[in-house]
Amino acid sequence: MSFKGKIALAAWGLAGVFLTADFFMGTYPASGNGQYPITTVSAPEENVAPKEEKYIALTFDDGPHKVYTPKLLEGLRKRGVHATFFLIGQNIDGNEDIIRQMKEDGHLIGNHSQNHMQLTKEQTKEACDQINRTNEMIERITGETPVYVRPPFGSWSEELEGMVPMRVVLWNVDPLDWKTQNKNRIVRHIVRHVEDGSIILLHDVYDTSVEAALEVIDTLSAEGYNFVTVDELLID
C-alpha cells in the first residue's frame, strides 16, 4: 500500500469514512477533479425515550359570572387551552352570550344544579328537577344537552345514580379558592399537588381564582402538562 493509501486509512479510522477495497487496491476510478469519491457513514441515532405526556383538567364551578367568566375565557383563548364549566341554572339568565362563547371556544359545559343545593338532602324528585331544569336551560342555548354533572359539595347517591342518566365528575385537587381568595396560595397548592390525570376544582366567580388559573396554566405548561376537558381525561 502506498503512503497516500496509509494516510487515507488513518483518516478513515478517525473520521468514520468508509472506503471500498477497490480504493486500496488502486482500481477505484478518480472523479473529474482528480479526487477519489468517498462515502460517509453517519453514526446511528441513540434511542431516546419519548417524553411522557401528562394530562390534567381545569374545571370551574358556580358560573357563569358576568365579569370574571369572560375574563377567564379570554385568557384561555390566548393560551389555546380548553376547560370544563359546571354551570348553575340560576346564574344562566342574562349570561347566555357567555355560554355561547364557551361553546364556540371549544370548552365542555356541564351541570352544577339549579340552585347549588346539596342534592342528597333533597327529595329525589326535587334533586332530579334541579338537574333537569339546568340541562334544559343549557340545551336551549347551546343546542346540546350536558352529559356531565358535578353535584354541589360532591354529594351524590346510588338512588340519584339510577335516576339521572349523566356522568358524575368530582375532583382530586382542591385549593379551596372560594375560601382563601388568595391567588398565590391557590397557585401554590395546585402546583404542589397536581399530577398526571388530576382534575382541578376552581370557581370562575372570583377574580383571584381566574388570575390563579391563568398563572397555573403558564406554570404547568412549561412543565409539560397538557390541559384537556374532563371528557378527554375520562375516556375509557
Side-chain angles (χ1 to χ4, degrees):
M1 182 183 295
S2 68
F3 177 74
K4 289 184 178 180
K6 292 178 181 179
I7 293 297
L9 180 59
W12 174 83
L14 292 174
V17 177
F18 175 77
L19 304 179
T20 64
D22 286 340
F23 175 83
F24 295 109
M25 295 297 293
T27 60
Y28 201 100
S31 62
N33 60 8
Q35 301 295 319
Y36 288 94
I38 56 178
T39 302
T40 59
V41 180
S42 301
E45 294 183 5
E46 296 182 2
N47 292 325
V48 179
K51 188 176 181 180
E52 181 183 0
E53 295 286 347
K54 298 180 288 187
Y55 295 92
I56 55 179
L58 280 175
T59 66
F60 298 91
D61 289 5
D62 294 1
H65 187 279
K66 195 172 296 290
V67 175
Y68 303 136
T69 304
K71 178 180 177 179
L72 175 60
L73 291 175
E74 181 181 3
L76 295 173
R77 196 179 310 118
K78 288 179 178 178
R79 291 162 174 79
V81 166
H82 292 149
T84 303
F85 292 85
F86 292 100
L87 308 184
I88 292 181
Q90 67 181 7
N91 290 338
I92 288 176
D93 284 340
N95 292 318
E96 291 85 354
D97 286 345
I98 296 174
I99 297 171
R100 293 187 188 97
Q101 188 67 56
M102 283 180 189
K103 177 177 169 56
E104 182 178 334
D105 288 351
H107 303 296
L108 181 66
I109 300 174
N111 188 320
H112 197 42
S113 83
Q114 180 70 21
N115 301 316
H116 206 274
M117 291 182 174
Q118 187 167 341
L119 299 176
T120 54
K121 291 187 175 181
E122 302 298 319
Q123 295 292 327
T124 303
K125 181 180 182 305
E126 174 60 23
C128 291
D129 285 347
Q130 283 274 319
I131 295 170
N132 291 334
R133 278 183 284 165
T134 303
N135 274 350
E136 290 169 2
M137 296 178 76
I138 295 172
E139 193 276 334
R140 282 198 298 269
I141 297 168
T142 67
E144 297 179 358
T145 301
V147 175
Y148 296 88
V149 59
R150 171 167 285 165
F153 313 103
S155 183
W156 199 243
S157 67
E158 290 185 5
E159 186 176 12
L160 286 171
E161 185 75 29
M163 297 288 292
V164 179
M166 299 179 73
R167 188 163 184 180
V168 175
V169 177
L170 300 179
W171 58 89
N172 48 33
V173 177
D174 182 4
L176 299 177
D177 60 320
W178 59 272
K179 184 176 183 179
T180 66
Q181 295 189 43
N182 181 300
K183 185 197 77 170
N184 292 334
R185 289 180 65 180
I186 296 167
V187 171
R188 196 159 53 241
H189 180 96
I190 293 172
V191 171
R192 285 178 178 175
H193 293 88
V194 73
E195 59 185 13
D196 184 30
S198 288
I199 297 177
I200 302 164
L201 171 61
L202 289 167
H203 300 79
D204 53 319
V205 294
Y206 305 103
D207 191 38
T208 49
S209 297
V210 170
E211 291 287 346
L214 300 179
E215 184 170 327
V216 162
I217 292 170
D218 294 340
T219 299
L220 295 182
S221 293
E223 295 181 11
Y225 282 93
N226 299 285
F227 291 85
V228 297
T229 52
V230 293
D231 55 337
E232 297 175 277
L233 199 62
L234 299 176
I235 291 174
D236 295 326

